[in-house]
Amino acid sequence: EPEVTQTPSHQVTQMGQEVILRCVPISNHLYFYWYRQILGQKVEFLVSFYNNEISEKSEIFDDQFSVERPDGSNFTLKIRSTKLEDSAMYFCASWGNEKLFFGSGTQLSVL
Amino acid sequence: AQSVTQPDIHITVSEGASLELRCNYSYGATPYLFWYVQSPGQGLQLLLKYFSGDTLVQGIKGFEAEFKRSQSSFNLRKPSVHWSDAAEYFCAVGELSGNEKLTFGTGTRLTIIP
């Protein structure tokens, strides 16, 4: 089965630093997403992306967050100035074949 | 707005016993419902989904779920659990309006005892 690939698997950063989380969605999918899961909590929707623009974003996705599809394969989530509360597992996903395919996640730790 | 409730935070079941994980949803239109499983340190794997038609849906790993509109429920079942089923299980409701955004429940952690 095709896979969504995320890199890195773990990212440690200092508070206030910028981080970029990378994802390669499944090649023929058109809708892309970022979700996050704070330790012990539920998976939360951050943003959806279609046709090279954001189609919906949650309250969590404030001005510190941005997404980009810089080329035909990558889909990135940037956090400009990380905060302690940004520590979480971030999942990329893409939609196809009537289901959401998730990557294995990037564990972000903000110190 | 849609929401999902998984009333059981943690369930412990003996290996070989039957399992039912509860899920209740709130959604104004016809819901699209999903069950995902997350093993420790892993991503989310789709077990099964319901869009329409037969209200009893079969998934991978021997799981099934039944959609009951009158009860706003989509409970997950398995007749005989295996130790490898120990994981976190998430129910989700979909907004398939061109955005395909999912709203997840808080999850149920399943522990299997010998």
PDB file of all heavy atoms in Angstrom, chain A residues 83-103:
ATOM      1  N   LYS A  83       7.114  27.397  20.594  1.00  0.00           N
ATOM      2  CA  LYS A  83       6.808  27.553  22.017  1.00  0.00           C
ATOM      3  C   LYS A  83       6.824  26.179  22.666  1.00  0.00           C
ATOM      4  O   LYS A  83       6.725  25.152  21.993  1.00  0.00           O
ATOM      5  CB  LYS A  83       5.433  28.207  22.195  1.00  0.00           C
ATOM      6  CG  LYS A  83       5.290  29.553  21.490  1.00  0.00           C
ATOM      7  CD  LYS A  83       3.974  30.217  21.844  1.00  0.00           C
ATOM      8  CE  LYS A  83       2.796  29.582  21.159  1.00  0.00           C
ATOM      9  NZ  LYS A  83       2.766  29.893  19.705  1.00  0.00           N
ATOM     10  N   LEU A  84       6.928  26.180  23.985  1.00  0.00           N
ATOM     11  CA  LEU A  84       6.940  24.903  24.702  1.00  0.00           C
ATOM     12  C   LEU A  84       5.702  24.076  24.379  1.00  0.00           C
ATOM     13  O   LEU A  84       5.788  22.853  24.230  1.00  0.00           O
ATOM     14  CB  LEU A  84       7.028  25.143  26.211  1.00  0.00           C
ATOM     15  CG  LEU A  84       8.311  25.792  26.732  1.00  0.00           C
ATOM     16  CD1 LEU A  84       8.202  26.043  28.234  1.00  0.00           C
ATOM     17  CD2 LEU A  84       9.527  24.930  26.411  1.00  0.00           C
ATOM     18  N   GLU A  85       4.576  24.755  24.263  1.00  0.00           N
ATOM     19  CA  GLU A  85       3.311  24.046  24.026  1.00  0.00           C
ATOM     20  C   GLU A  85       3.170  23.517  22.601  1.00  0.00           C
ATOM     21  O   GLU A  85       2.173  22.858  22.286  1.00  0.00           O
ATOM     22  CB  GLU A  85       2.121  24.943  24.375  1.00  0.00           C
ATOM     23  CG  GLU A  85       2.114  26.290  23.701  1.00  0.00           C
ATOM     24  CD  GLU A  85       2.715  27.381  24.575  1.00  0.00           C
ATOM     25  OE1 GLU A  85       3.722  27.104  25.285  1.00  0.00           O
ATOM     26  OE2 GLU A  85       2.199  28.515  24.521  1.00  0.00           O
ATOM     27  N   ASP A  86       4.153  23.788  21.757  1.00  0.00           N
ATOM     28  CA  ASP A  86       4.133  23.198  20.416  1.00  0.00           C
ATOM     29  C   ASP A  86       4.675  21.770  20.424  1.00  0.00           C
ATOM     30  O   ASP A  86       4.625  21.075  19.401  1.00  0.00           O
ATOM     31  CB  ASP A  86       4.961  24.043  19.443  1.00  0.00           C
ATOM     32  CG  ASP A  86       4.350  25.405  19.179  1.00  0.00           C
ATOM     33  OD1 ASP A  86       3.107  25.518  19.197  1.00  0.00           O
ATOM     34  OD2 ASP A  86       5.117  26.367  18.969  1.00  0.00           O
ATOM     35  N   SER A  87       5.222  21.356  21.552  1.00  0.00           N
ATOM     36  CA  SER A  87       5.723  19.989  21.658  1.00  0.00           C
ATOM     37  C   SER A  87       4.572  19.013  21.449  1.00  0.00           C
ATOM     38  O   SER A  87       3.566  19.056  22.171  1.00  0.00           O
ATOM     39  CB  SER A  87       6.350  19.754  23.035  1.00  0.00           C
ATOM     40  OG  SER A  87       7.492  20.559  23.206  1.00  0.00           O
ATOM     41  N   ALA A  88       4.725  18.158  20.462  1.00  0.00           N
ATOM     42  CA  ALA A  88       3.652  17.237  20.097  1.00  0.00           C
ATOM     43  C   ALA A  88       4.158  16.319  18.991  1.00  0.00           C
ATOM     44  O   ALA A  88       5.242  16.517  18.435  1.00  0.00           O
ATOM     45  CB  ALA A  88       2.412  17.995  19.602  1.00  0.00           C
ATOM     46  N   MET A  89       3.341  15.330  18.670  1.00  0.00           N
ATOM     47  CA  MET A  89       3.565  14.526  17.475  1.00  0.00           C
ATOM     48  C   MET A  89       2.773  15.175  16.351  1.00  0.00           C
ATOM     49  O   MET A  89       1.567  15.434  16.522  1.00  0.00           O
ATOM     50  CB  MET A  89       3.099  13.101  17.710  1.00  0.00           C
ATOM     51  CG  MET A  89       3.250  12.187  16.510  1.00  0.00           C
ATOM     52  SD  MET A  89       4.953  11.720  16.202  1.00  0.00           S
ATOM     53  CE  MET A  89       5.046  10.236  17.202  1.00  0.00           C
ATOM     54  N   TYR A  90       3.437  15.448  15.258  1.00  0.00           N
ATOM     55  CA  TYR A  90       2.776  16.076  14.120  1.00  0.00           C
ATOM     56  C   TYR A  90       2.640  15.041  13.012  1.00  0.00           C
ATOM     57  O   TYR A  90       3.612  14.435  12.580  1.00  0.00           O
ATOM     58  CB  TYR A  90       3.589  17.280  13.633  1.00  0.00           C
ATOM     59  CG  TYR A  90       3.503  18.448  14.580  1.00  0.00           C
ATOM     60  CD1 TYR A  90       4.286  18.494  15.729  1.00  0.00           C
ATOM     61  CD2 TYR A  90       2.608  19.487  14.355  1.00  0.00           C
ATOM     62  CE1 TYR A  90       4.188  19.555  16.629  1.00  0.00           C
ATOM     63  CE2 TYR A  90       2.504  20.553  15.233  1.00  0.00           C
ATOM     64  CZ  TYR A  90       3.298  20.578  16.362  1.00  0.00           C
ATOM     65  OH  TYR A  90       3.194  21.627  17.253  1.00  0.00           O
ATOM     66  N   PHE A  91       1.396  14.871  12.567  1.00  0.00           N
ATOM     67  CA  PHE A  91       1.109  13.915  11.516  1.00  0.00           C
ATOM     68  C   PHE A  91       0.726  14.632  10.230  1.00  0.00           C
ATOM     69  O   PHE A  91      -0.108  15.540  10.239  1.00  0.00           O
ATOM     70  CB  PHE A  91      -0.061  13.002  11.910  1.00  0.00           C
ATOM     71  CG  PHE A  91       0.237  12.056  13.024  1.00  0.00           C
ATOM     72  CD1 PHE A  91      -0.282  12.275  14.288  1.00  0.00           C
ATOM     73  CD2 PHE A  91       1.016  10.928  12.812  1.00  0.00           C
ATOM     74  CE1 PHE A  91      -0.020  11.398  15.330  1.00  0.00           C
ATOM     75  CE2 PHE A  91       1.287  10.044  13.842  1.00  0.00           C
ATOM     76  CZ  PHE A  91       0.774  10.281  15.102  1.00  0.00           C
ATOM     77  N   CYS A  92       1.324  14.197   9.163  1.00  0.00           N
ATOM     78  CA  CYS A  92       0.914  14.617   7.833  1.00  0.00           C
ATOM     79  C   CYS A  92      -0.041  13.561   7.288  1.00  0.00           C
ATOM     80  O   CYS A  92       0.063  12.374   7.638  1.00  0.00           O
ATOM     81  CB  CYS A  92       2.142  14.732   6.939  1.00  0.00           C
ATOM     82  SG  CYS A  92       1.809  15.110   5.211  1.00  0.00           S
ATOM     83  N   ALA A  93      -0.974  13.976   6.459  1.00  0.00           N
ATOM     84  CA  ALA A  93      -1.913  13.024   5.873  1.00  0.00           C
ATOM     85  C   ALA A  93      -2.304  13.483   4.482  1.00  0.00           C
ATOM     86  O   ALA A  93      -2.233  14.678   4.163  1.00  0.00           O
ATOM     87  CB  ALA A  93      -3.156  12.888   6.746  1.00  0.00           C
ATOM     88  N   SER A  94      -2.684  12.530   3.664  1.00  0.00           N
ATOM     89  CA  SER A  94      -3.246  12.865   2.367  1.00  0.00           C
ATOM     90  C   SER A  94      -4.465  11.991   2.121  1.00  0.00           C
ATOM     91  O   SER A  94      -4.570  10.882   2.655  1.00  0.00           O
ATOM     92  CB  SER A  94      -2.214  12.722   1.235  1.00  0.00           C
ATOM     93  OG  SER A  94      -1.776  11.384   1.070  1.00  0.00           O
ATOM     94  N   TRP A  95      -5.389  12.533   1.334  1.00  0.00           N
ATOM     95  CA  TRP A  95      -6.676  11.863   1.122  1.00  0.00           C
ATOM     96  C   TRP A  95      -6.705  11.245  -0.267  1.00  0.00           C
ATOM     97  O   TRP A  95      -6.422  11.888  -1.281  1.00  0.00           O
ATOM     98  CB  TRP A  95      -7.812  12.870   1.248  1.00  0.00           C
ATOM     99  CG  TRP A  95      -9.149  12.264   1.005  1.00  0.00           C
ATOM    100  CD1 TRP A  95      -9.810  12.154  -0.189  1.00  0.00           C
ATOM    101  CD2 TRP A  95      -9.988  11.640   1.979  1.00  0.00           C
ATOM    102  NE1 TRP A  95     -11.007  11.519  -0.004  1.00  0.00           N
ATOM    103  CE2 TRP A  95     -11.152  11.192   1.312  1.00  0.00           C
ATOM    104  CE3 TRP A  95      -9.878  11.434   3.361  1.00  0.00           C
ATOM    105  CZ2 TRP A  95     -12.190  10.549   1.980  1.00  0.00           C
ATOM    106  CZ3 TRP A  95     -10.903  10.802   4.014  1.00  0.00           C
ATOM    107  CH2 TRP A  95     -12.044  10.367   3.330  1.00  0.00           C
ATOM    108  N   GLY A  96      -7.129   9.976  -0.280  1.00  0.00           N
ATOM    109  CA  GLY A  96      -7.334   9.306  -1.553  1.00  0.00           C
ATOM    110  C   GLY A  96      -8.031   7.989  -1.320  1.00  0.00           C
ATOM    111  O   GLY A  96      -7.972   7.424  -0.221  1.00  0.00           O
ATOM    112  N   ASN A  97      -8.718   7.506  -2.345  1.00  0.00           N
ATOM    113  CA  ASN A  97      -9.394   6.212  -2.237  1.00  0.00           C
ATOM    114  C   ASN A  97     -10.343   6.181  -1.041  1.00  0.00           C
ATOM    115  O   ASN A  97     -10.447   5.179  -0.338  1.00  0.00           O
ATOM    116  CB  ASN A  97      -8.371   5.085  -2.134  1.00  0.00           C
ATOM    117  CG  ASN A  97      -8.965   3.718  -2.419  1.00  0.00           C
ATOM    118  OD1 ASN A  97      -9.975   3.604  -3.110  1.00  0.00           O
ATOM    119  ND2 ASN A  97      -8.367   2.686  -1.865  1.00  0.00           N
ATOM    120  N   GLU A  98     -10.994   7.315  -0.803  1.00  0.00           N
ATOM    121  CA  GLU A  98     -11.983   7.446   0.270  1.00  0.00           C
ATOM    122  C   GLU A  98     -11.417   7.198   1.651  1.00  0.00           C
ATOM    123  O   GLU A  98     -12.120   6.722   2.557  1.00  0.00           O
ATOM    124  CB  GLU A  98     -13.179   6.523   0.025  1.00  0.00           C
ATOM    125  CG  GLU A  98     -13.968   6.861  -1.230  1.00  0.00           C
ATOM    126  CD  GLU A  98     -15.197   5.998  -1.396  1.00  0.00           C
ATOM    127  OE1 GLU A  98     -15.195   4.855  -0.912  1.00  0.00           O
ATOM    128  OE2 GLU A  98     -16.165   6.481  -2.015  1.00  0.00           O
ATOM    129  N   LYS A  99     -10.161   7.489   1.840  1.00  0.00           N
ATOM    130  CA  LYS A  99      -9.630   7.414   3.193  1.00  0.00           C
ATOM    131  C   LYS A  99      -8.433   8.329   3.350  1.00  0.00           C
ATOM    132  O   LYS A  99      -7.838   8.782   2.380  1.00  0.00           O
ATOM    133  CB  LYS A  99      -9.268   5.983   3.569  1.00  0.00           C
ATOM    134  CG  LYS A  99      -8.146   5.361   2.761  1.00  0.00           C
ATOM    135  CD  LYS A  99      -7.932   3.924   3.235  1.00  0.00           C
ATOM    136  CE  LYS A  99      -6.791   3.264   2.490  1.00  0.00           C
ATOM    137  NZ  LYS A  99      -6.589   1.858   2.941  1.00  0.00           N
ATOM    138  N   LEU A 100      -8.131   8.592   4.620  1.00  0.00           N
ATOM    139  CA  LEU A 100      -7.022   9.465   4.971  1.00  0.00           C
ATOM    140  C   LEU A 100      -5.829   8.590   5.312  1.00  0.00           C
ATOM    141  O   LEU A 100      -5.898   7.730   6.188  1.00  0.00           O
ATOM    142  CB  LEU A 100      -7.430  10.312   6.174  1.00  0.00           C
ATOM    143  CG  LEU A 100      -6.753  11.654   6.410  1.00  0.00           C
ATOM    144  CD1 LEU A 100      -6.849  12.532   5.194  1.00  0.00           C
ATOM    145  CD2 LEU A 100      -7.373  12.338   7.608  1.00  0.00           C
ATOM    146  N   PHE A 101      -4.751   8.802   4.582  1.00  0.00           N
ATOM    147  CA  PHE A 101      -3.516   8.072   4.832  1.00  0.00           C
ATOM    148  C   PHE A 101      -2.619   8.958   5.694  1.00  0.00           C
ATOM    149  O   PHE A 101      -2.323  10.097   5.323  1.00  0.00           O
ATOM    150  CB  PHE A 101      -2.789   7.774   3.516  1.00  0.00           C
ATOM    151  CG  PHE A 101      -3.465   6.763   2.642  1.00  0.00           C
ATOM    152  CD1 PHE A 101      -4.555   7.117   1.858  1.00  0.00           C
ATOM    153  CD2 PHE A 101      -3.011   5.454   2.588  1.00  0.00           C
ATOM    154  CE1 PHE A 101      -5.180   6.185   1.037  1.00  0.00           C
ATOM    155  CE2 PHE A 101      -3.623   4.524   1.763  1.00  0.00           C
ATOM    156  CZ  PHE A 101      -4.703   4.882   0.993  1.00  0.00           C
ATOM    157  N   PHE A 102      -2.175   8.401   6.827  1.00  0.00           N
ATOM    158  CA  PHE A 102      -1.316   9.153   7.728  1.00  0.00           C
ATOM    159  C   PHE A 102       0.136   8.706   7.606  1.00  0.00           C
ATOM    160  O   PHE A 102       0.425   7.527   7.407  1.00  0.00           O
ATOM    161  CB  PHE A 102      -1.757   8.952   9.178  1.00  0.00           C
ATOM    162  CG  PHE A 102      -2.978   9.732   9.556  1.00  0.00           C
ATOM    163  CD1 PHE A 102      -4.244   9.209   9.354  1.00  0.00           C
ATOM    164  CD2 PHE A 102      -2.863  10.995  10.107  1.00  0.00           C
ATOM    165  CE1 PHE A 102      -5.376   9.930   9.702  1.00  0.00           C
ATOM    166  CE2 PHE A 102      -3.988  11.725  10.464  1.00  0.00           C
ATOM    167  CZ  PHE A 102      -5.243  11.195  10.257  1.00  0.00           C
ATOM    168  N   GLY A 103       1.023   9.666   7.783  1.00  0.00           N
ATOM    169  CA  GLY A 103       2.422   9.333   7.957  1.00  0.00           C
ATOM    170  C   GLY A 103       2.675   8.859   9.372  1.00  0.00           C
ATOM    171  O   GLY A 103       1.773   8.876  10.216  1.00  0.00           O
TER     172      GLY A 103
END
